[in-house]
Amino acid sequence: QVQLVQSGSELKKPGASVKVSCKASGYGFSTYAMSWVRQAPGQGLEWMGWINTNTGNPSYAQDFTGRFVLSLDTSVSTAYLQISNLKAEDTAVYYCARSYQPRGWADYWGQGTLVTVSS
Amino acid sequence: QSALTQPPSASGSPGQSVTISCTGTSRDVGAYNYVSWYQQHPGKAPKLMIYEVTKRPSGVPDRFSGSKSGNTASLTVSGLQAEDEGDYYCCSRAGNNNWVFGGGTKVTVL
């Protein structure tokens, strides 16, 4: 069965970096795109961007350029989200989701990774 | 890209129907038949309920249905059940292969 398993919660200080992983199983990793979605505490869903798992080419939403990097390791069917120069407002749950591009929907989601940024 | 507009809350008694609207623009909802809806329970990941405006993934009850008219999409839940309580988000493809979510609607089963 299709599964997306994300890495565990992280507690980081402002200015640090974090790398969240999303390991896929149960399907051909390069057959579907991978999107990332942020959910701040008590807030709604925000689409961050997606990565083409064939080419490794990422595409970012306007609010997620600069400090956010999407990458892959296809040898282990894993997608990554790296956030640098962390700020308190980056505190959120981050989800990966198997996606249909360019149609714009996701059928399987990871369990979410809570990233807390606090001094 | 501005978020799609959803009512913050909706409610109904068991067995009744509730409809949630999702209003965008001619650059997103109105431009593509790629509106999806997600259900989220507290502390859980979102679950796909409707994709491409009207299609239901396998396993989603046919009590859930979607529609679209112009720049507004809608999700209707018929025959409300206690387990339908949760947050619902619409999402649309926008330009440049981007997505945009709605702000979410909290559905309460009275």
Side-chain angles (χ1 to χ4, degrees):
Chain A
Q1 74 280 23
V2 174
Q3 279 193 303
L4 300 177
V5 178
Q6 298 184 224
S7 48
S9 297
E10 301 268 10
L11 174 60
K12 296 290 185 181
K13 294 189 184 303
S17 295
V18 68
K19 193 169 187 177
V20 177
S21 67
C22 170
K23 182 170 178 58
S25 62
Y27 72 98
F29 182 68
S30 299
T31 307
Y32 299 85
M34 193 72 77
S35 289
W36 289 85
V37 174
R38 182 171 81 176
Q39 188 168 36
Q43 302 300 309
L45 304 175
E46 288 181 274
W47 183 74
M48 301 176 67
W50 69 285
I51 186 163
N52 185 318
T53 52
N54 263 316
T55 65
N57 184 44
S59 178
Y60 302 95
Q62 192 170 7
D63 289 344
F64 295 96
T65 58
R67 298 187 297 115
F68 301 85
V69 176
L70 303 181
S71 62
L72 304 170
D73 184 343
T74 55
S75 69
V76 289
S77 301
T78 300
Y80 300 95
L81 164 67
Q82 183 162 359
I83 312 171
S84 58
N85 189 21
L86 282 162
K87 307 175 188 302
E89 52 264 38
D90 294 324
T91 295
V93 175
Y94 292 85
Y95 294 100
C96 62
R98 191 180 84 164
S99 308
Y100 291 73
Q101 288 292 101
R103 299 180 189 182
W105 50 277
D107 58 352
Y108 287 91
W109 294 63
Q111 83 276 19
T113 295
L114 173 62
V115 175
T116 304
V117 183
S118 174
S119 54
Chain B
Q1 189 75 49
S2 298
L4 307 177
T5 300
Q6 296 182 233
S9 62
S11 62
S13 299
Q16 289 187 330
S17 294
V18 65
T19 297
I20 304 166
S21 61
C22 169
T23 301
T25 70
S26 58
R27 295 181 300 278
D28 37 63
V29 175
Y32 307 97
N33 286 323
Y34 292 140
V35 175
S36 52
W37 290 89
Y38 301 87
Q39 176 192 64
Q40 187 179 35
H41 291 133
K44 299 295 187 182
K47 175 187 176 184
L48 178 67
M49 305 303 285
I50 295 287
Y51 66 99
E52 295 180 10
V53 180
T54 61
K55 299 176 182 178
R56 272 179 293 105
S58 173
V60 172
D62 59 6
R63 303 184 291 103
F64 291 85
S65 62
S67 63
K68 191 187 88 166
S69 178
N71 297 337
T72 298
S74 298
L75 173 72
T76 297
V77 186
S78 306
L80 266 175
Q81 299 183 5
E83 60 262 35
D84 299 333
E85 194 162 280
D87 295 324
Y88 289 80
Y89 295 91
C90 62
C91 181
S92 174
R93 177 186 167 179
N96 295 322
N97 290 336
N98 289 340
W99 302 9
V100 58
F101 281 99
T105 298
K106 183 177 184 62
V107 170
T108 302
V109 180
L110 301 170

